[in-house]
Amino acid sequence: MRRLLCALLLSVAAVPAAARELIACGHPAYPPVSWVAAGELRGLAPTLVRELFGELGLRVRLEAFGNWKRCLLEVGAGRADIVVAAYRNREREQQFAFSGQYVVADPIVLFVRRDRAFAFDDWDDLRGRTVGLLLGDSFGERFDRFAETALRVERVSTGRQNVRKLVLGRIDFMPIGRDTGRLQSRRLGYDERVMALPQALVTEYYHVAVRKGSALEALLPEIDRRLAALHADGSIARRARQQAERYLAEPMAADHGD
């Protein structure tokens, strides 16, 4: 344990002084994991990242960069330091180092208009349909390849745009985490118009990510240890529920990032 603490202290010391206030960003429309309201990044993952890196003596400033793709680009280019929560895939692993321990497990389901629901037993049932995705979205390498070759893909900047396109019939479905989709449809007043198909598309996992090769990469084992402890005592599940309640309680006018 003493050796581990010494290694961590050396890792922290390796972070340039100018970067001691780290910049973290996240998905702007994925409650309760993260979302942007009133120009501020909020949610479970931003709160956890600021707390866990704070325990290691590092200050974290949360930034809202407008859309999800921009967040990934900023961290990949070294202009920001941490993605508070992101799925792992082969393409992202070329630029980012990820925590081994996940922040949340995220069953992905398909949200559709209730009056245009269709049978979904396997991916072939989706061929030729129009899917709505956000800029920077990935739902695993297999689905990403399938979408490119078998679906009509329409991308937008915000979650609110995507839900509205679904309600207006401009897309056939949108893949999104079950909890996130329910929160968004409830908040926007679309519960009676949209629904989640029962079959999950895939289950993905959100991890903390830092730029590959940065000094912060050496701190990920300690982040893993703390995340595992917070899962074990139920803290993360409890905080996720609290953040969901916070999201639903916020006034719509403040919800610029969704």
Side-chain angles (χ1 to χ4, degrees):
M1 179 61 71
R2 187 172 180 179
R3 287 182 179 178
L4 174 61
L5 290 174
C6 289
L8 287 171
L9 288 172
L10 288 172
S11 298
V12 171
V15 179
R20 285 306 177 94
E21 184 175 64
L22 304 172
I23 299 173
C25 60
H27 202 299
Y30 218 90
V33 178
S34 66
W35 72 93
V36 173
E40 178 182 297
L41 185 65
R42 302 175 180 177
L44 171 66
T47 303
L48 280 174
V49 162
R50 188 157 53 186
E51 176 184 316
L52 297 183
F53 280 89
E55 290 174 0
L56 298 175
L58 295 168
R59 298 189 305 276
V60 174
R61 185 172 84 245
L62 302 174
E63 287 284 350
F65 284 126
N67 64 53
W68 180 219
K69 186 175 182 180
R70 171 82 185 280
C71 170
L72 297 173
L73 288 171
E74 291 295 309
V75 177
R79 292 186 293 268
D81 303 287
I82 305 166
V83 182
V84 296
Y87 299 154
R88 298 179 70 161
N89 62 33
R90 190 173 303 172
E91 180 181 353
R92 289 178 181 172
E93 285 177 339
Q94 294 176 11
Q95 284 190 298
F96 304 108
F98 292 85
S99 61
Q101 177 66 56
Y102 64 85
V103 179
V104 291
D106 195 30
I108 306 301
V109 296
L110 307 182
F111 274 76
V112 300
R113 258 178 49 165
R114 288 185 181 273
D115 61 351
R116 295 188 181 183
F118 53 86
F120 171 56
D121 295 314
D122 60 52
W123 289 14
D124 280 340
D125 295 326
L126 304 178
R127 288 186 180 276
R129 297 185 185 273
T130 302
V131 58
L133 300 174
L134 300 191
L135 294 168
D137 264 353
S138 169
F139 292 101
E141 294 170 30
R142 183 172 166 238
F143 179 77
D144 293 348
R145 290 195 300 269
F146 177 80
E148 289 176 4
T149 58
L151 304 177
R152 294 189 296 271
V153 179
E154 294 196 10
R155 292 187 183 270
V156 293
S157 295
T158 72
R160 184 181 294 183
Q161 287 175 312
N162 217 24
V163 177
R164 285 178 173 166
K165 287 181 72 171
L166 181 65
V167 170
L168 292 171
R170 295 176 182 168
I171 57 175
D172 297 315
F173 70 94
M174 64 175 197
I176 194 169
R178 182 181 287 115
D179 291 342
T180 298
R182 287 173 177 169
L183 285 170
Q184 288 185 345
S185 63
R186 180 178 172 186
R187 181 184 175 87
L188 295 170
Y190 292 144
D191 270 354
E192 294 184 0
R193 303 186 68 181
V194 304
M195 61 176 285
L197 298 180
Q199 170 103 350
L201 179 75
V202 67
T203 296
E204 291 289 344
Y205 297 85
Y206 269 111
H207 299 259
V208 178
V210 300
R211 185 170 54 84
K212 199 166 188 177
S214 75
L216 297 178
E217 189 173 350
L219 302 182
L220 291 177
E222 179 63 11
I223 298 297
D224 286 340
R225 186 188 70 79
R226 290 290 293 121
L227 284 173
L230 292 170
H231 277 297
D233 69 10
S235 294
I236 288 181
R238 183 175 64 254
R239 293 184 190 194
R241 291 191 296 269
Q242 292 169 346
Q243 292 293 337
E245 292 170 1
R246 179 187 183 187
Y247 173 77
L248 290 174
E250 290 178 348
M252 282 292 295
D255 200 1
H256 303 303
D258 193 8

